[in-house]
Amino acid sequence: MTPAAAFDPALCPRLVVKIGSALLVDSAGAVRSDWLAGVVADIAERRSQGQQIVLVSSGAIALGARRLGLERGGRASLEDAQAAAAVGQVALAGVWEQLLAARGMTAAQVLLTLGDLEDRRRYLNVAATIARLLDLGAVPVLNENDTVATAEIRFGDNDRLAARAAQAAGATGVILLSDVDGLYTANPASDASATRIPVVKALTPEVMAMATGETRSGMGSGGMAAKLLAARMAGAAGIALAICDGRIDRPLTHFANNAGGTLFLPPRAAKGRKAWLAGRITVAGTIMVDAGAAAALRRGASLLAAGVCGVDGRFRRGDVLAIIGPDGELLARGLAGYDADDAATIMGLRNEAHAAVLGYAPRAALVHADHLVLI
């Protein structure tokens, strides 16, 4: 199977397409209108085949920086980025409205912050809004609300926003249009022996090490490392993700008709609350587990205190936790069954010993399997 086959409209009824700043805006900060018109033509063709499309569009800061005359593409400071975004979002929305309308489609702008998708209730509101827009035939155009986002409360790149939005949208696929045509064994710009990997079945430490954090243009905030994190987020929720070349005309059609790109296969399927957990970026605390507990979690068991060897953070019952395996890698996320102090008190103890040290009848699991998802 070619990487593109997973995103055929017959197999992928709802698709998220992410477009980076370096593709949408040229080096002078102007919209690449002809190229973007080709993307819209691709979208119209896929919609005619029954596929619903959600767009994640970068470019607001770059557009605003040009209009305000800001240096470094509007990224010299947080204040510059916020000001550029405020101006650029107006311009960006206008570009999408005009181009989509020319093909008989209605654009709908949805600006999101990290909290909109990290908070469960707000996440469900976003999901409902996107679903209704799609039912009405509109094309949702999503972007991070950089006007109000700060370093502490932002996604930081639209690759991860695309993966997270795909979960909220109920999509089965994400395509990241990029200035590279997939994941390579090394950086192809500096290593002539680098080869493209068509399909990635598991995001092992070796695969993650192939990424670099730089962007070619210096205009965006992502890079291959961000794309791999996005693939992990999407895959944990059962969503396929591809990186493909967006530099050519009609990039979605080119991807469908040629054997390029890299497909990241989802290792498992997760729905509802577990999909939301899988895509969390922020957590309230961390639980470290031993090899036996890690193996049990992979078999679908709950996390018992006996297998816990470390507790970090000031979390409360119901907060989202990261569960770290003995190799130091993120293993799972789950909802805490205990406050941090009680979790630290019972870690390493078997269940029958909990009541004596806690002074109350304990729960069976520190994190129950129903509220836990492997990453």
Side-chain angles (χ1 to χ4, degrees):
M1 179 177 70
T2 64
F7 308 95
D8 186 275
L11 300 176
C12 180
R14 189 171 291 179
L15 173 69
V16 172
V17 178
K18 180 262 179 178
I19 301 171
S21 298
L23 298 176
L24 192 143
V25 180
D26 65 22
S27 58
V31 175
R32 300 176 62 218
S33 299
D34 291 343
W35 176 85
L36 202 55
V39 174
V40 172
D42 284 344
I43 293 169
E45 183 175 326
R46 283 178 173 266
R47 278 169 53 100
S48 72
Q49 298 171 22
Q51 189 173 62
Q52 294 179 318
I53 303 290
V54 176
L55 291 170
V56 174
S57 174
S58 302
I61 292 177
L63 285 175
R66 182 189 188 220
R67 298 194 175 196
L68 293 172
L70 295 172
E71 298 179 352
R72 292 180 57 189
R75 297 183 183 274
S77 68
L78 175 61
E79 291 79 8
D80 279 1
Q82 291 174 324
V87 173
Q89 286 294 358
V90 177
L92 185 61
V95 168
W96 281 115
E97 194 281 330
Q98 182 179 8
L99 290 173
L100 288 168
R103 290 277 180 171
M105 294 177 282
T106 300
Q109 184 183 56
V110 182
L111 297 179
L112 299 169
T113 64
L114 179 64
D116 292 325
L117 296 176
E118 295 288 89
D119 179 86
R120 178 66 176 167
R121 180 173 294 181
R122 290 157 67 186
Y123 171 91
L124 293 175
N125 288 337
V126 171
T129 298
I130 293 174
R132 184 58 178 152
L133 287 169
L134 291 170
D135 288 344
L136 292 170
V139 179
V141 182
L142 281 54
N143 195 3
E144 184 161 15
N145 192 354
D146 289 305
T147 300
V148 298
T150 65
E152 293 79 17
I153 57 168
R154 67 192 307 262
F155 283 93
D157 60 79
N158 273 350
D159 297 315
R160 289 189 295 173
L161 173 59
R164 193 68 161 130
Q167 298 165 1
T172 52
V174 177
I175 293 177
L176 305 179
L177 296 180
S178 179
D179 56 359
V180 293
D181 61 342
L183 175 67
Y184 280 73
T185 53
N187 188 340
S190 57
D191 188 341
S193 67
T195 57
R196 181 178 55 84
I197 303 172
V199 179
V200 174
K201 296 181 179 179
L203 284 165
T204 62
E206 291 76 18
V207 171
M208 298 300 289
M210 295 175 188
T212 61
E214 304 99 10
T215 61
R216 288 186 175 182
S217 66
M219 196 178 303
S221 54
M224 189 54 67
K227 289 171 175 54
L228 294 189
L229 290 174
R232 172 175 282 173
M233 289 172 62
I239 300 170
L241 182 143
I243 301 168
C244 72
D245 196 345
R247 294 167 294 182
I248 39 85
D249 292 335
R250 300 290 300 268
L252 294 176
T253 297
H254 183 271
F255 180 49
N257 295 336
N258 296 273
T262 296
L263 168 65
F264 296 85
L265 293 172
R268 63 188 66 86
K271 296 181 179 180
R273 182 182 289 271
K274 288 199 173 187
W276 172 74
L277 279 171
R280 286 279 301 207
I281 293 176
T282 58
V283 294
T286 302
I287 299 291
M288 284 68 75
V289 303
D290 61 24
L297 293 182
R298 293 190 180 100
R299 294 194 300 268
S302 297
L303 175 60
L304 304 182
V308 174
C309 51
V311 175
D312 184 52
R314 300 302 306 166
F315 57 86
R316 303 195 58 163
R317 181 173 179 244
D319 285 345
V320 179
L321 303 178
I323 300 172
I324 306 298
D327 56 0
E329 290 290 315
L330 177 64
L331 176 64
R333 291 192 184 93
L335 301 181
Y338 289 87
D339 293 350
D341 289 343
D342 285 353
T345 298
I346 62 174
M347 73 173 185
L349 300 180
R350 297 181 65 84
N351 280 21
E352 53 267 26
H354 294 181
V357 297
L358 291 175
Y360 63 84
R363 299 174 186 88
L366 201 151
V367 180
H368 196 279
D370 290 345
H371 307 298
L372 182 149
V373 61
L374 295 174
I375 302 301

